Amino acid sequence: MNSGGLLESLRGTLIVSCQAYPGEPMRDPEVMSRVARAAVIGGAAAVRVQGLADIRATVDAVDVPVVGLWKDGADGVFITPTLEHARAVADAGAQIVAVDGTRRPRPDGLTLAQTIAGLRATRDVLVMADCGSLEDAVAAQEAGADLLGTTLAGYTDERPRTDGPDLDLIALIAAACAAPVIAEGRIHTPAAAAQARRAGAFAVCVGTAITHPSTITGWFVDAIAADG
Ligand SMILES: CC(=O)N[C@H](C=O)[C@@H](O)[C@H](O)[C@H](O)COP(=O)(O)O
């Protein structure tokens, strides 16, 4: 599929983020690739996968596009933070490379525009910019990003951490930018996913509420406890 076809294939669809965190029992490439397969059976049009080993295992296991990222560290710019990371994610087989799309300085000193241009010079991939604000999204579009994610809304200083998705931000980006918006972050129910789409999202990405059983279990435990 060419990149225009790939992008268009995601319109109005669900992307499922399949991630386990350091030290967790499901942190294993084979396990994550199976979680991704299960999501595809449920109708996911693409999956979002963290880490080179997980990306490689998942690319072999599913027949939908893989949005790959490499988290290095846990604060500041850590989602595919450098050009080197981005190239490695593409080489692991991801058709879409998700990178930090904020305006913060990157650890390799490159701008987002230089990172995207450097990646595209040698790899045929789309780039998803994980943004935290409207200003990030406008700058990321200008830098050449193909997809604008609201992934980091509420995780940088620019937006409050809303309980559910940041619907206002989704609408603001959709109104200001021609590049498609991927609503991502704290979408915990099918109703919230539909709201995100109505707010202007081109596609909706859900992680925790589908693929993180420990958190989901905690929601139920807390609800029961709160009821006495
Ligand atoms: C902020 C950050 O590091 N977000 C990460 C990005 O890949 C993941 O930890 C999230 O699970 C993902 O964005 C999906 O969001 P949610 O799990 O809320 O549906």
Side-chain angles (χ1 to χ4, degrees):
M1 205 186 299
N2 65 21
S3 56
L6 169 55
L7 199 58
E8 207 38 53
S9 75
L10 299 178
R11 184 188 292 276
T13 65
L14 178 69
I15 301 166
V16 175
S17 177
C18 307
Q19 298 187 36
Y21 299 93
E24 293 186 342
M26 285 171 56
R27 178 94 167 182
D28 174 82
E30 166 70 14
V31 171
M32 275 301 119
S33 72
R34 286 176 177 267
V35 170
R37 277 174 58 193
V40 172
I41 289 170
V47 289
R48 178 171 159 117
V49 180
Q50 190 289 133
L52 301 181
D54 288 27
I55 295 167
R56 282 188 212 103
T58 304
V59 166
D60 287 345
V62 301
D63 55 5
V64 299
V66 171
V67 181
L69 64 147
W70 175 358
K71 284 183 179 172
D72 197 353
D75 348 270
V77 175
F78 67 92
I79 295 181
T80 323
T82 69
L83 175 56
E84 197 101 329
H85 288 82
R87 284 182 173 146
V89 168
D91 291 345
Q95 293 93 330
I96 302 173
V97 177
V99 301
D100 180 286
T102 67
R103 302 175 335 280
R104 300 172 293 186
R106 314 175 80 78
D108 58 2
L110 298 182
T111 63
L112 180 57
Q114 289 168 333
T115 305
I116 294 174
L119 177 61
R120 288 249 189 67
T122 51
R123 272 80 170 171
D124 183 20
V125 289
L126 294 178
V127 176
M128 172 173 174
D130 287 341
C131 299
S133 66
L134 173 62
E135 292 75 10
D136 283 347
V138 169
Q141 173 174 262
E142 182 65 33
D146 302 288
L147 297 147
L148 305 170
T150 58
T151 319
L152 290 171
Y155 302 103
T156 64
D157 291 342
E158 295 193 275
R159 303 282 305 175
R161 195 172 299 188
T162 48
D163 272 346
D166 190 338
L167 296 170
D168 292 344
L169 180 62
I170 294 165
L172 286 169
I173 299 175
C177 297
V181 185
I182 309 297
E184 175 168 344
R186 302 180 303 282
I187 299 171
H188 290 164
T189 63
Q195 274 184 309
R197 172 80 174 133
R198 279 197 296 274
F202 179 81
V204 175
C205 179
V206 175
T208 305
I210 297 176
T211 62
H212 201 254
S214 308
T215 300
I216 302 163
T217 304
W219 293 341
F220 282 87
V221 168
D222 290 349
I224 293 169
D227 243 22

